[in-house]
Amino acid sequence: MEERVLSEDELIKTRLEKLEEMNSLGCDPFAAEKYERYATIKKPGADQEIEPLAASVISAFEAAEPPEGADEAAVQINVSLAGRLVSFRAMGKASFAHIEDRSGRIQLYLKRDDLGEDYKLAKLLDLGDFIGVEGFVFRTRTGEVSVHVKKLSVLAKSIRPIPFGKEKGDQHWYGLQDIEQRYRQRHLDLITSSESRRVFELRSRVVRSVREFYDSRGYLEVETPVLQSVAGGAAARPFNTYHNALEHEFHLRISLELYLKRLVVGGFERVYEIGRVFRNEGLSTRHNPEFTLLESYEAYSNLEDVMALVEDLFEHICQTIYQRTDFDYLGTNIDLKKPWRRLPMLEGIEQYAGVKPSAFDSLESALAAMESLGLDTENEQMVGGIIEKIHERFVQPNLIQPTFITDFPIETSPLAKKRPDNPKLTRRFEVYLAKLECGNAFSEINDPIDQRERFEQQGLMRASGDEEAHPMDEDFIRALEYGMPPTGGLGIGIDRLVMIFAGQDNVRDIILFPQMKPEGK
């Protein structure tokens, strides 16, 4: 007869009963405030400390293990380890188990004759419990490096069951099958998936690598306000909030740009910030309303200097993570060797969509070109917006290897200098890898008169219904009026950056706690 699967409520009830039984044996699983982890290796004439983690204990034992047939007593590693119980197999007077810490997992051998009364506690353990063990390291007959446990401590009881499966009487993790549960209960995802832990550890390494790169080049890391009276620096709708004491509405920032450029005005010639920004927009596999943005600004530099900076930054990250200048992204090799491809936006449209640049000389001809490509022309009121939509639909899917798309239209680039030879285009680029837009850069406007005119043009767009058009920012213009040197600026989405280097195609897989609808909605 097939064994009935207990419900979660029944499993919780059973675990609570085990908790009571532990307490009756004089063991409070939640009493410990600290557990001392250590490992020492003892040879004749040697006494060496080992990092108290499972993986390092295993590697230390394998390095010190005598050859087969030699005296095993010549080497002994005594350990005190702690971790979460991830498997348990009872065999009468002895049991085998595995605990897992941040470095990996190690097998435990628990024998009733060694543990005495503590063996009763072992029989009350559940998967997910945190335990501490003291004993010595040995290799079992099956060849697995294990800890022969001499003392057992229960450090925390897992009241709620963690997903596990059974195979030949052995209990083991199998990971979360419900994708939404992975995002809503990231703690469970991290417990059950070593791949998820790898991705988020890699994310931390990427961010650390970015900081190392900028710090080594003399940039100053700064912090700018999250609450802003004018949310500028990008084309996006902000989240709004109200400050009770000041009796004023503020916005969560959508960019870091305008405050960082104020600092360039103030004399900081190289600045960068890694910070959270918030955009009141939809969710997708590539967009989360709250995300991490890197922005940097360097005085006396231009767009070409920023291109070189981006090439060096990506190469530095790749070398840090993979110790080479190429990597695999979902089966495609991405080669970061310099120089990267430079492709003007209109040339890309001609190459991949078959539309010549002359088609964008007027709004009427641009609309006709858009319609001929099968794109919806409703609500399109400016040539620049049409150009970018055609680029996104036809050019972007072909940008696999690193590419700088240059010469953006002026209507969609209110913070970038005009091209001297063509005022309809700007000194701006976006960087693409693996079809993903990963960065945006300008030769920054430092002419306050030009900047005011751009904001005024954006104001007309807002008046006609474009909620993402850039607002007027008088305080920023006033800062420019004090004088800002020629400046190259860069913005890179950290989340997209991590997606690429971690080989992920869904932004929720590289954000620890992605935005979700409230449960039940």
Side-chain angles (χ1 to χ4, degrees), residues 500-513:
I500 288 172
F501 282 109
Q504 304 296 313
D505 60 359
N506 191 328
V507 72
R508 291 183 177 185
D509 289 325
I510 54 84
I511 297 175
L512 278 168
F513 302 102

Side-chain angles (χ1 to χ4, degrees), residues 8-46:
E8 184 174 65
D9 287 343
E10 289 174 317
L11 290 171
I12 291 174
K13 181 175 181 291
T14 298
R15 289 178 177 229
L16 289 172
E17 290 170 353
K18 289 182 179 180
L19 174 63
E20 288 183 11
E21 194 169 347
M22 283 183 174
N23 285 325
S24 70
L25 293 172
C27 171
D28 179 356
F30 304 108
E33 294 185 17
K34 181 180 179 180
Y35 187 81
E36 209 57 64
R37 298 186 296 169
Y38 66 83
T40 59
I41 180 168
K42 293 185 178 179
K43 298 182 187 180

Side-chain angles (χ1 to χ4, degrees), residues 233-235 257 279 302-304 306-307 342-345 384-385 388 391-392 404-420 425-432 437 439-444 454 458 489 491:
E257 180 165 348
R279 298 184 182 179
N302 66 6
L303 203 64
E304 285 68 34
V306 181
M307 286 182 182
R342 273 80 165 156
L343 179 64
M345 182 173 282
E388 289 206 13
H391 160 77
E392 291 170 5
F404 294 114
I405 296 293
T406 64
D407 299 342
F408 277 68
I410 192 168
E411 299 99 320
T412 59
S413 310
L415 295 160
K417 280 182 178 286
K418 300 172 185 174
R419 257 184 54 174
L425 303 177
T426 60
R427 296 275 291 147
R428 173 186 173 189
F429 75 71
E430 286 184 345
V431 59
Y432 290 83
E437 184 259 303
N440 189 21
F442 312 145
S443 280
E444 305 289 343
R454 302 284 194 93
Q458 293 285 306

